Amino acid sequence: MHSKARFTVAAAGAILALGLAAGCSSDESAASGENTDVCTTFATDHNAFVGLVAAGPGSAENIDSWTADKQAAVDKLSALPGTASGDVASALTTFVDALPADTLELST
């Protein structure tokens, strides 16, 4: 179990690194009002997603709801590139494209 927890934390760290590379960490990229709002939303949605991945389902009974919650979080993140502009839109697209289709891969 300790190994699984360590991998979960490593996966969450990898997601965080990708998030920081998504363009919102750069003051210059997020200078416009539109991108500021997108970056704020990204930070909130990203943190919620990482929290879900790191927490895991907790028990076998929670796997379905945990998986649905992770998919909802991915869907929120996937919608963001269309609301951004310039380098931020490009970086967010790269981030979303890097997420595995099966979010269970992030925590198993």
Side-chain angles (χ1 to χ4, degrees):
M1 178 97 171
H2 179 68
S3 177
K4 183 178 180 181
R6 185 175 11 183
F7 183 81
T8 301
V9 170
I15 293 169
L16 177 60
L18 283 172
L20 292 175
C24 288
S25 63
S26 168
D27 292 335
E28 184 177 326
S29 295
S32 74
E34 177 184 22
N35 283 336
T36 299
D37 292 344
V38 170
C39 288
T40 300
T41 301
F42 172 78
T44 301
D45 294 348
H46 173 268
N47 290 340
F49 179 63
V50 170
L52 284 167
V53 171
S59 68
E61 297 88 35
N62 294 332
I63 290 175
D64 289 339
S65 64
W66 178 64
T67 301
D69 290 345
K70 284 190 304 166
Q71 188 58 54
V74 167
D75 292 345
K76 285 175 115 178
L77 290 167
S78 296
L80 291 176
T83 63
S85 62
D87 291 341
V88 172
S90 177
L92 288 172
T93 298
T94 300
F95 171 77
V96 169
D97 289 348
L99 293 172
D102 180 1
T103 58
L104 190 57
E105 291 177 29
L106 296 170
S107 53
T108 58

